[in-house]
Each structure stands twice: as C-alpha cells, then as structure tokens.
Amino acid sequence: MPDLFSQLWSDYTVRTVALGSGILGIVSGALGGFAMLRKQSLLGDAISHAALPGIAIAFLLTLSKSPLVLVLGAALSGWLGTLLIISVTRTTRIKEDSALGLVLSVFFGFGLVLLTFIQRQPYASKAGLDKFLFGQAAALLQSDIWIMSILGIIILLIVALFWKEFKLLSFNPEYAASLGLPVRFLDILLTSLLVIAIVIGLQTVGVVLMSAMVVAPAAAARQWTDRLGKMILLSSLFGAIAGISGAFLSSTLERLPTGPTIVICMSLLVLISLLFATNRGLIWRWLKERKNRQKLQVDAVLSDLYILAQQHENIEHSHPIEVLRTMSIGHGGVDRTLKELQKERMVDQKEDGTWRLTRQGFEKAKNMSEKGENL
Amino acid sequence: MSQAQIEIQLIAIVVSVACALPGVFLMLRRMAMMSDAISHAILLGIVLAFFVTQNLSSPLLVIGAALTGVLTVVLVELLHRTRLVREDAAIGLIFPLLFSLGVILISRYAGNIHLDIDAVLLGELAFAPFDRLMVFGRDIGPKSLYLMLGILFLNICFIGIFFKELKLVSFDSGLAMALGFSPTLIHYSLMSLVSVTAVGAFDAVGSILVVALMIGPPVSAYLLTDRLSILLLLSSGIGIIASVSGYWMANLMDSSIAGSMATMVGFLFLLIYLFAPNKGLVSLARRRRRQKIQFALEMLLVHILNHQGKPEAQRECHVGHLSEHLYWDKDLSRQVLKQGEREDYLQRQDDYLFLTPEGQDIAEKSMLR
Amino acid sequence: MSDKLKNQNPQNAVEVEDLTVAYQEKPVLWDVDLHVPQGVLQAIIGPNGAGKTTLIKSILGLVKPSAGRILIYGQPYEEQRDLVAYVPQRGSVDWDFPTSVLDVVMMGRYGSLGWFKRPGKKEHQLALEALEKVGMSEFSRRQISQLSGGQQQRVFLARALTQDAQVYFMDEPFQGVDATTEKAIITLLKDLRAAGKTVLVVHHDLQTVSEYFDWVLLLNVRRISCGPVQEVFTDQNLKLAYGGKVSFLTHHTHTEQDQITNI
C-alpha cells in the first residue's frame, strides 16, 4: 500500500491532480460550512452554473485560456447570477428556489450557446473549454495548482481575519448590525469568497458537480461537532480527504472520471457521518432511544409490582407474570425486563413462577413513586 | 422551412408546454429546485434502463428512468426527516451522488452504450427527426415527437382531472388536508409527472435545460397574472415563444439549440421582469416615485394635524422646519408643498402651514387606516 | 462614554420625533413621537401589526425610516451606538447553530472589540458575569440547541448585558418563557433601573403591564398615548389602541391585578 502511494505520488499528473483536488476540498469545505449555516446550500449550485458563460466570454474577449483570466470571468458571471437571484427575490414575489432554478438553468444554457459557438470558430486555442462542464482534473498543470493555492490561502486568511464577524453574521445578522458591524459589506465579502472558492474548483470537478463540494463536507462535519471552529476545520478536512482519495482512485482505475469519483467519496463520508457521528448520528440516536425505552420499561414494571404489593399489604405476596403483562400494556417487554431486574436483585421468582419485589426493589420502587408524587 | 426544421420546432413546442405545466405547480409549491435534482438524478435511471432496453426512446426506459426521479424525491425526504440536514442541503447531497453514479457508469461502459455525456447535458434536438416512428411500414414522424405528445397528454389529463386539488394543495396544504385531500398523494403524483416529463424532455433538450423550461416560463408568467388557469396558459405560451425563437437563434448562431432555448427563456424573463405592468421593475420604480411624493404629502398632513393648535405648532408647522424635523431635503419639501397646495389640502400663511377642511379629512382618514 | 452622558440634558434617554416608516408603500408607523426619560422601564404595547418591532428596529437603524429623527441622549444613534444594547426576538435565529452559550454571550463584546481582535480573557470574564446575573452560570459550556425557550431568552439578555449599555431595547423577552425566566427577567429589569439604565420592552401581556413597568407607549401604527402607566394605561386608551375587542381583556386585567395585590 505505501508502495502504491509513493508510486502514485511520484507521478507528476497524479500528484498535481491530488494536490488540486485537496486544495479545492479544503477551500470549498470551509466556505461551504458558512453557506450551509446561512441557509445557502443550493446557492453554490446556482453560482457554479452561472459561472459558465463568464468563462466563455472571458475566452472570447482575450482568446486566452490562462486560468487567471477564466477564473476572473467565471467569478464575475457567478457574482452576476447571485446578484440577480437576490434582486429578483427582493423586488418580486418570486421565491428563492424558483430564482435559483431560473438563474442556474438560464446562465448555463447561455454558457452552452457560447461554448458551442466557440467550438465552431477557427480559433487555434479553443479546445478544452468544455472541460469546465464535468471537470478534467487530469488536465491540471503545476501553474494551475499555484493559482489555486494562492487564491485558497487568501480566502482562508480572510476567513480567519473576519472570523468573529462572519460567525455573528451567520448566526444573527440583525444583532450584528445593531452592534455597528457593516453587515452589508460582510455579506458581500463572504458571498464573494464563496464565489471564488467555487470557480477555482470548476476546472477540476466541473460546473455540474461543484455544488456537491460545497454542500457535502459541511453536512458531514456538522454531525460531529457543536462548535463552529471545529466544524469548519472538519469540513475542510473532509473536503480534502474526499478530493485526494477521489483523485487517487480515478487515476488508478481506468475510465473513472475525477469529478464524479470525488463526489462519491464525499457522499460516503456524509453517509458515515449521518450514521455514526457521536450525539447526532442515527445509530447513536437509536441506541440512546433504546436505552431510554428500556429504562422506562424497568421503571414501569417496578412500579406495577409496587402497586400490587401495596394492594396486598404484604410485600412477600407474589404475582403471576400475566398480571404484569396486563398492567404493562403499552410498554411491553415484561419478560425481558423481569430477567434484567432479577439480575440486579430487585425482584425474585418463586418456584411456582410468580414474581415479587425484593426488599431492595421495594425500597427503590417506593422511592420512585414518592418522587413521582412530588412532581 | 424544410420538413426536418418543422419537425424540430414541433418537438420543441410540445416539450416546452409539457414542461411548463407541471413547472407551475413546482414553483407554487416552492419546490423548483426539486426539478433540478430530478433532472440530474434520472441520468442514472436512464443508464440503468438503457442496459435493459437498449433503446433510448422505449416507453419502458421512460418509466424506469422516471422511477429514479421519484426515488430522488423519496431519498431527499428521508434525509430531511432525520432532522440532521435542512431540506435544501438534502437536495444538494442526493442529486450529485446519483448523477455521479450515472456519469461513472456511462464512462466505464462507454463502448457499449450509444450515450455520451455531452448529449446527456445538452440533448440533441437536431438529431431527433432521424429517429422515425414506423407504423405498418409507414413513416408517421419522429419518435420523440410522439413520446412527448404522449407525455403532454398525460400532463394535461392529470392537471385537468385534479385541478381543484392541485390548486388547494399549492396554496394551502393545511386546508387541503383538513378537507380530506391527501397532500402526500398529490405531491407524489406531481413528482412522478415531473420525473416522466423530465425523462422525455431529457432526450431532446438535456438535463439542465429541462430546468429552464420547467421553471422559467412559470416564473415569468407569475409576474403577469394571479390566476392559476391563466398562469398555466401564459406559461405554456411563453414556453412556446422561447422554444421557437430559441431554435432560430441557434440556427443563426450555429450553436446549441437547447442552450439557445434556455437563453431565450432568460431573455423573455428579463423583458417581463423589467416591463411587466404592475410587477415589473420599471413600473415599480415609477409607482414608487409617484407614491413617494403622495405619501410624503399624506405624512405632512398627518403631521400638521397632530400638532396644529398645540403649543408646539409654532415650531412644528413652520415651512422652514420641514427639512429639519421630517428630514426631507429641500427638493422634496418643495415638491410636496407644491403638490399639497395644488390639490388644495394645504394653506400657507406667513410661512406657517394650515390644513384645509379637505386636508384635514385626508389626514384623519390616513390615521385610521 | 461618561462624557457623552454628562454633556447632554440627562432627562431624555431616547427621543423619537415624527418617525414614519413604510414598507413598500404601506405605512407601518405614522408620525410617531416618543420621549423616554432616563431610568424608566418602558413597555411598548399594541395589537399585532402595530409596528412595535419596527419602532425598535428603526431606532436601532436596522430599518430605514421615511422621515423623522432619532436621538439617544441628545445625539444621533450612529454616534451613540455604544450606549445602546439590543435583545432581538428569540425566534429570529437558528438555535441549531454550532456554538456554545458562552460564545453567544461574548458576541455582545464584538462591537467594541474592533476588527481582527478575538475575544480574550476580559471578554470571557464579562460573559461569565453576565451569565451569573441571569442565573445561567452552569450552562456556559452548553450547546445552544439544548436550551429551553426561557434559557435561550436569558442567554440573549446576558449577551446584551455584556454591552454595558445605558439604554436597552428588548423585543418580546417574555414571549413563551417559563415562570422562572419571567421572574429572572423582572429582577434583571429592576436591577437595571436601579443602576439608572433605561429599558424599552416590546410587550404583549396586558395583564402584567402595570405590575412590571413604570412607563408605557400605546402604539397602533400611530402613537395612541405615552407616559406613566397610571395616567396612560386606561381602558379608554386601550380601546383606542386595540379597537373595541379589548373591553373583555381589560376587565379581566383589573380583577387579576386585584387578586395579585390582595395576596
């Protein structure tokens, strides 16, 4: 395994792809965390689709495929799409989901028109623009990695600098405004960072799947922690793990496109988190519920026996299990519960199969019922 | 126009109407992004069903693929119901996964399938006329035209039969439940319809343009009317205009037909967004400006009514104090005063303002509003 | 901060003149005047849609008024921001946000911390003290989603306390809270008054107005009446503010209050 790893690492293409995907995972993971908390999970989808015409226009204007030029074009048109969504929802009765759907599909359609138009022009350097649709990680160059890293570091630095402001903006923007924070500026800044984080990933993962890189790491990270800092760190980490493992997988197996492979790795991480996360995870929750239910059953049987004992004014008097079953309608599991109580020496069973409280069990039940009456 | 051109436009028209009709309800039910999710996720269904049927326009494939659409809706709801993620995040988690699986299957078995990723995304309307439907050895037209006509018929029937229920569920699902309609049943029927339509249209216009045709026309029409029946008609009309003009734009620019149709959808929306009577930006701005002065005048009348005859009237009702107290700039103050005097609500004596009986009337009415 | 207080005529903490606010073209507040002397507990009451929340938000500059001016201790709000603290409605935020009680309370210091500075020991200490005052000390490490409604409200109050302001604006702090919290809030309000602070509270429960507050503003889009509770909180004014519907309510109020005073 380590052999395979070092062999992969020494391969220029694989290393570049893995580095690119990793950086992309870190950056989109961090910004995606904020997007999710600001209830903008699907905005990423709209931004990435809206970026497509920007790429084509940037190319048409400059006839250059320099990543910086294309990223700039993508960012501008991604921004324009976001602005349109905001303005449509503010000025009309059109709801956000419709505005998102409209902008993403129309911008994308327009992008396709431009791409097919470019495709049929006699430019020499036109090839390769369509890699933005699904991403083509294998085409990443060392220079792309540099640009991605520099932009990524700038984004993360800004997030760190404005950490407390972004936190308050995401949690309670009105209160932030009452403290005198420039909420509008912060909102624009954070959204711009999201736009940039998305456009630097387009070349690797593609327009169509980029939204998953924004939503999924954050959704996975949220399950493991209740602190914003840890959540954003985890989200970045998950993004990086999925990016790197997806890149490696797709380069070891034939005909496994990088973008979709990264998305599947990411989805696995989400699934694991949803199931196994401590506190919030489904399995954890199920175990906790079962424990609660068992405790309820134990309490119910104890108190039933206590009621019977009181009716007979003699603790020694024992009762057949059928009586308890009748009394416990709605709780169930009487047999198992009695066995458990027997282990704890709260009840004992006579030779004829009937049950009664022990002294210890009687005290506990009495205690419980008195507490219950006080409530 | 050649016959192929006419056929392509016919298909485009049928597709756009078939998409716009269920799209209206998606928009009203705030589930527009579900169409995005469904139209992506059905790729997996199409690929899987294609392994079985080996025929892209087989009705069996349509049904099989539509099931993946419904599966998407179910999965999103299951995920949302765990309360671990919000609904929008659930959508954003499910459809990229299903879409990725579809893309990977295509690229792994690309040799065996006549399906390429570009066609999936963009559709290829231009090739639609080549696949003919033969009945008893006679050519009666392109297959996909009949497929889409069938789906359109299904949509019209469904909406016709359940019009009342759909209306109720879209505007007030609580009331619908109370009246004994099952919103869940209607919801899933609608989602199945969206899935079937998406699969059918997918072949012609590709996955993302399905979204444009489902959401764009209803959203534009929503700025023009309030009535559901007119909304349905207008959406269909806008869809038709967008698809036909989109086709000719593609012809002119020698570019993707589906992309051009989506672009025209966007262009029509932009026109309506700017110029719609009442709800458009231009009329909104014009109304705002007119109402600003009207409103300011009303405010001034109320202000004078509140202070006139009281000890502070000296200060509050003086012309010079308007800008100081109400924070108006000189220009606005002048316009408002002029308007007030013209309409005979205000009188000026030595730079002090008084209400005429009409003005007093207006002010009192404003306060009671 | 003390300079700002000394320089001004101390009697009015908040002055609102001719405030008109409209959303789109619909007026929400009409020409409202409000003068709140320093050191009073002022209730703002009125029916739903009367503009109570809008009044607070426009004083705090969160909503742009169409006309009017707002002074805090004689100066425009922008210059007096550090004299003012705000307690928004509890329901206005997502309580599943990944953060702790202590963290939320420290947010009160973000305004005075300035850019790029992280909350440190001092902020920590202030937040703990504020939590102590609202009886929430043992909850400081708790995730906020695990709080009850009343506890959430007390966290918001503690956050405002860390601002160490002169004027407090609270939007429905009694909405849906338990009896313990209600008592805690009242104690807190009285402590604030004793320290010479001014508190404006949007309030819903007519039955407790005269028990909890000294001053009251009756609002229904326009100002109905404003002043000391005994003078202003009358059946006639309530009818003006709420329409005829209130007669039963006020009647009820008086008997309830009599009972309370009898005990």
Side-chain angles (χ1 to χ4, degrees):
Chain A
M1 196 61 197
D3 264 3
L4 179 68
F5 188 83
S6 60
Q7 197 185 332
L8 282 170
W9 195 249
S10 58
D11 181 326
Y12 169 81
T13 319
V14 177
R15 196 177 57 217
T16 316
V17 171
L19 267 175
S21 312
I23 293 167
L24 151 71
I26 291 173
V27 178
S28 63
L31 270 302
F34 282 103
M36 183 181 81
L37 294 174
R38 301 211 301 150
K39 305 178 176 65
Q40 294 180 330
S41 289
L42 290 176
L43 184 63
D45 201 21
I47 291 174
S48 64
H49 284 77
L52 191 63
I55 295 170
I57 291 175
F59 173 77
L60 278 173
L61 289 179
T62 60
L63 290 183
S64 135
K65 273 195 311 181
S66 139
L68 214 51
V69 173
L70 298 186
V71 159
L72 191 70
L76 283 178
S77 83
W79 233 117
L80 191 69
T82 313
L83 222 64
L84 197 62
I85 291 168
I86 294 170
S87 113
V88 166
T89 43
R90 280 224 184 118
T91 54
T92 71
R93 55 176 167 170
I94 294 166
K95 299 293 175 301
E96 199 191 5
D97 63 314
S98 297
L100 284 169
L102 179 81
V103 164
L104 87 83
S105 58
V106 166
F107 272 63
F108 184 80
F110 185 52
L112 284 182
V113 169
L114 293 174
L115 281 191
T116 44
F117 176 76
I118 291 170
Q119 224 60 232
R120 284 156 201 175
Q121 303 303 308
Y123 306 132
S125 62
K126 69 191 180 192
L129 280 183
D130 54 343
K131 74 183 171 208
F132 284 99
L133 288 182
F134 287 102
Q136 200 174 26
L140 280 177
L141 301 172
Q142 195 85 50
S143 59
D144 297 329
I145 302 297
W146 277 114
I147 290 173
M148 286 172 83
S149 331
I150 290 168
L151 284 174
I153 287 169
I154 293 175
I155 290 176
L156 295 180
L157 262 179
I158 295 177
V159 170
L161 276 179
F162 291 93
W163 179 259
K164 73 175 192 302
E165 284 80 10
F166 285 164
K167 184 202 282 186
L168 187 50
L169 176 76
S170 310
F171 175 59
N172 196 348
E174 281 201 326
Y175 183 71
S178 86
L179 290 180
L181 297 182
V183 170
R184 248 193 123 77
F185 163 77
L186 290 169
D187 188 3
I188 292 171
L189 182 64
L190 190 51
T191 309
S192 309
L193 295 182
L194 179 65
V195 170
I196 299 171
I198 285 171
V199 297
I200 61 174
L202 291 182
Q203 198 182 351
T204 316
V205 190
V207 162
V208 185
L209 289 174
M210 190 54 212
S211 72
M213 295 307 292
V214 176
V215 181
R222 178 67 188 92
Q223 314 310 326
W224 295 95
T225 172
D226 278 332
R227 295 291 181 271
L228 181 66
K230 279 187 202 154
M231 185 192 121
I232 299 290
L233 278 180
L234 262 183
S235 184
S236 284
L237 181 71
F238 286 157
I241 292 176
I244 293 172
S245 53
F248 275 149
L249 268 179
S250 78
S251 50
T252 38
L253 293 168
E254 233 178 283
R255 285 190 295 189
L256 205 54
T258 320
T261 313
I262 294 177
V263 170
I264 288 182
C265 292
M266 199 57 252
S267 303
L268 272 178
L269 280 176
V270 173
L271 187 68
I272 292 170
S273 304
L274 291 176
L275 289 178
F276 299 107
T278 45
N279 285 325
R280 283 171 69 107
L282 290 177
I283 289 180
W284 182 280
R285 218 155 70 179
W286 179 73
L287 286 174
K288 208 163 62 185
E289 264 162 32
R290 203 179 68 164
K291 217 170 123 197
N292 281 343
R293 205 165 47 235
Q294 276 170 358
K295 189 176 175 299
L296 266 172
Q297 283 172 353
V298 167
D299 290 356
V301 170
L302 264 183
S303 86
D304 288 348
L305 277 167
Y306 180 69
I307 291 167
L308 289 172
Q310 277 185 322
Q311 280 168 356
H312 289 267
E313 290 173 2
N314 175 15
I315 319 170
E316 297 298 312
H317 196 287
S318 61
H319 309 276
I321 193 163
E322 286 77 16
V323 177
L324 289 167
R325 279 196 192 128
T326 327
M327 288 178 82
S328 74
I329 285 170
H331 297 290
V334 173
D335 301 55
R336 190 172 29 110
T337 313
L338 281 171
K339 289 263 151 57
E340 223 160 274
L341 280 169
Q342 195 175 22
K343 253 186 261 162
E344 292 172 34
R345 297 181 186 280
M346 294 290 183
V347 299
D348 62 8
Q349 188 176 24
K350 289 217 253 173
E351 292 85 33
D352 58 1
T354 55
W355 295 86
R356 64 179 176 191
L357 288 170
T358 59
R359 176 57 45 198
Q360 195 187 350
F362 182 78
E363 288 304 326
K364 189 176 177 202
K366 193 174 158 200
N367 220 332
M368 254 168 41
S369 96
E370 276 162 8
K371 243 195 245 158
E373 273 160 24
N374 284 344
L375 275 177
Chain B
M1 266 192 275
S2 73
Q3 198 198 341
Q5 282 181 327
I6 293 172
E7 280 175 358
I8 289 174
Q9 288 177 70
L10 267 179
I11 296 173
I13 287 172
V14 175
V15 167
S16 62
V17 178
C19 285
L21 293 178
V24 167
F25 296 101
L26 281 178
M27 175 191 73
L28 291 176
R29 305 206 62 204
R30 302 185 186 187
M31 308 201 68
M33 287 306 278
M34 206 57 113
S35 70
D36 187 41
I38 289 176
S39 72
H40 280 87
I42 52 175
L43 175 67
L44 179 61
I46 289 175
V47 176
L48 290 176
F50 187 78
F51 284 147
V52 180
T53 62
Q54 297 291 327
N55 179 357
L56 263 185
S57 42
S58 137
L60 215 64
L61 177 135
V62 174
I63 293 168
L67 281 179
T68 358
V70 180
L71 177 75
T72 314
V73 180
V74 174
L75 286 177
V76 167
E77 259 160 41
L78 278 179
L79 191 53
H80 175 51
R81 212 173 287 168
T82 62
R83 281 177 288 127
L84 294 177
V85 293
R86 282 163 40 89
E87 191 178 19
D88 56 343
I91 291 177
L93 288 170
I94 296 294
F95 86 79
L97 172 64
L98 298 181
F99 188 73
S100 296
L101 286 172
V103 173
I104 287 178
L105 280 181
I106 291 180
S107 82
R108 293 286 286 175
Y109 302 100
N112 312 332
I113 307 183
H114 299 288
L115 245 183
D116 71 278
I117 295 176
D118 280 2
V120 161
L121 265 192
L122 324 181
E124 224 11 292
L125 203 49
F127 297 145
F130 295 131
D131 195 5
R132 314 297 297 183
L133 186 65
M134 311 294 270
V135 176
F136 302 121
R138 271 187 58 203
D139 175 1
I140 58 165
K143 254 187 202 165
S144 55
L145 179 60
Y146 286 95
L147 179 68
M148 282 318 295
L149 272 175
I151 291 172
L152 175 62
F153 180 70
L154 189 70
N155 285 352
I156 292 176
C157 285
F158 178 79
I159 291 171
I161 293 170
F162 296 106
F163 187 76
K164 190 168 83 256
E165 286 80 359
L166 280 167
K167 190 170 174 175
L168 203 55
V169 169
S170 303
F171 290 110
D172 187 348
S173 76
L175 178 65
M177 192 116 76
L179 292 178
F181 299 116
S182 162
T184 323
L185 185 68
I186 295 279
H187 173 65
Y188 275 101
S189 314
L190 181 65
M191 289 303 155
S192 313
L193 214 58
V194 169
S195 303
V196 170
T197 312
V199 177
F202 195 94
D203 190 22
V205 293
S207 67
I208 289 158
L209 285 320
V210 171
V211 182
L213 288 177
M214 278 195 182
I215 303 307
V219 164
S220 312
Y222 200 38
L223 295 179
L224 296 171
T225 178
D226 287 331
R227 289 193 38 206
L228 183 58
S229 48
I230 299 180
L231 191 58
L232 287 165
L233 287 177
L234 265 179
S235 305
S236 311
I238 293 170
I240 291 172
I241 297 173
S243 55
V244 173
S245 60
Y247 171 73
W248 287 106
M249 172 183 149
N251 246 356
L252 206 73
M253 279 185 66
D254 191 16
S255 63
S256 149
I257 299 176
S260 307
M261 280 162 61
T263 307
M264 288 315 297
V265 167
F267 181 67
L268 287 178
F269 171 77
L270 207 61
L271 280 184
I272 294 173
Y273 179 42
L274 289 177
F275 302 113
N278 285 325
K279 295 194 184 72
L281 279 189
V282 172
S283 97
L284 203 68
R286 197 181 294 155
R287 198 168 59 230
R288 285 244 173 99
R289 205 173 43 225
R290 201 177 334 121
Q291 272 168 350
K292 190 181 166 196
I293 295 191
Q294 203 61 44
F295 179 65
L297 175 62
E298 219 173 305
M299 197 159 76
L300 179 63
L301 298 179
V302 171
H303 179 73
I304 297 175
L305 182 72
N306 272 348
H307 295 290
Q308 150 173 299
K310 298 219 178 103
E312 71 271 15
Q314 281 279 322
R315 193 158 47 89
E316 299 278 354
C317 301
H318 189 268
V319 172
H321 283 70
L322 281 188
S323 48
E324 192 180 315
H325 270 252
L326 297 177
Y327 268 68
W328 290 347
D329 56 52
K330 286 248 149 55
D331 208 38
L332 182 64
S333 308
R334 197 168 343 105
Q335 276 178 303
V336 170
L337 283 181
K338 220 163 77 189
Q339 178 84 2
E341 283 174 314
R342 194 191 309 141
E343 296 190 24
D344 216 13
Y345 296 152
L346 279 176
Q347 273 173 357
R348 211 196 287 210
Q349 286 169 12
D350 304 334
D351 277 352
Y352 286 99
L353 296 169
F354 295 93
L355 295 179
T356 63
E358 289 90 350
Q360 181 135 6
D361 209 38
I362 297 281
E364 275 162 5
K365 268 192 203 133
S366 310
M367 299 233 292
L368 287 177
R369 205 166 52 182
Chain C
M1 190 150 56
S2 53
D3 282 349
K4 280 186 190 172
L5 291 181
K6 259 182 244 157
N7 291 342
Q8 302 310 322
N9 172 357
Q11 63 222 19
N12 279 340
V14 181
E15 284 182 41
V16 174
E17 282 175 11
D18 310 323
L19 181 73
T20 296
V21 182
Y23 287 133
Q24 312 279 352
E25 291 92 27
K26 198 175 169 291
V28 189
L29 289 174
W30 254 131
D31 203 51
V32 171
D33 292 312
L34 173 65
H35 302 266
V36 186
Q38 179 180 346
V40 302
L41 299 182
Q42 162 122 35
I44 301 171
I45 60 174
N48 285 331
K52 305 183 292 289
T53 298
T54 308
L55 174 64
I56 285 194
K57 285 189 176 172
S58 43
I59 294 175
L60 292 166
L62 304 175
V63 170
K64 199 174 169 292
S66 313
R69 68 174 178 174
I70 291 143
L71 301 177
I72 306 286
Y73 281 104
Q75 298 291 319
Y77 172 72
E78 289 73 32
E79 293 162 29
Q80 302 282 64
R81 198 166 252 140
D82 47 355
L83 299 183
V84 173
Y86 173 43
V87 181
Q89 277 181 28
R90 180 163 58 84
S92 64
V93 303
D94 173 13
W95 287 94
D96 198 29
F97 196 88
T99 190
S100 69
V101 167
L102 190 71
D103 218 26
V104 171
V105 177
M106 278 197 292
M107 288 174 184
R109 302 301 306 161
Y110 283 11
S112 39
L113 260 178
W115 294 105
F116 313 135
K117 271 206 216 102
R118 294 286 170 90
K121 266 217 180 83
K122 184 182 151 215
E123 284 70 29
H124 213 264
Q125 197 52 43
L126 283 169
L128 284 176
E129 281 166 18
L131 277 172
E132 178 85 53
K133 279 186 204 150
V134 296
M136 292 279 293
S137 295
E138 68 267 43
F139 292 92
S140 67
R141 305 300 305 164
R142 199 66 84 83
Q143 210 274 324
I144 56 171
S145 66
Q146 296 162 4
L147 300 177
S148 72
Q151 290 166 339
Q152 293 173 351
Q153 191 62 58
R154 281 189 270 166
V155 169
F156 263 12
L157 286 166
R159 181 174 70 173
L161 287 181
T162 63
Q163 289 180 250
D164 192 25
Q166 295 300 318
V167 188
Y168 290 80
F169 293 91
M170 304 182 178
D171 201 346
E172 303 204 9
F174 296 104
Q175 182 76 29
V177 302
D178 50 290
T180 328
T181 302
E182 183 144 347
K183 251 182 242 155
I185 299 176
I186 285 304
T187 318
L188 186 69
L189 291 181
K190 302 214 157 125
D191 288 350
L192 287 171
R193 178 175 55 189
K197 319 274 184 181
T198 313
V199 188
L200 286 83
V201 179
V202 171
H203 196 55
H204 252 318
D205 184 9
L206 293 178
Q207 308 191 7
T208 51
V209 168
S210 32
E211 189 188 346
Y212 292 170
F213 298 97
D214 339 308
W215 280 53
V216 64
L217 164 69
L218 279 161
L219 191 72
N220 190 357
V221 183
R222 64 201 180 91
R223 189 182 84 167
I224 305 297
S225 187
C226 181
V229 172
Q230 309 87 283
E231 292 170 25
V232 170
F233 198 63
T234 61
D235 272 1
Q236 196 197 349
N237 278 337
L238 282 171
K239 246 176 228 156
L240 275 173
Y242 284 82
K245 287 165 270 173
V246 85
S247 56
F248 165 72
L249 239 178
T250 45
H251 183 67
H252 197 63
T253 312
H254 287 304
T255 52
E256 285 257 328
Q257 269 163 11
D258 291 343
Q259 279 170 5
I260 289 166
T261 39
N262 286 344
I263 298 164

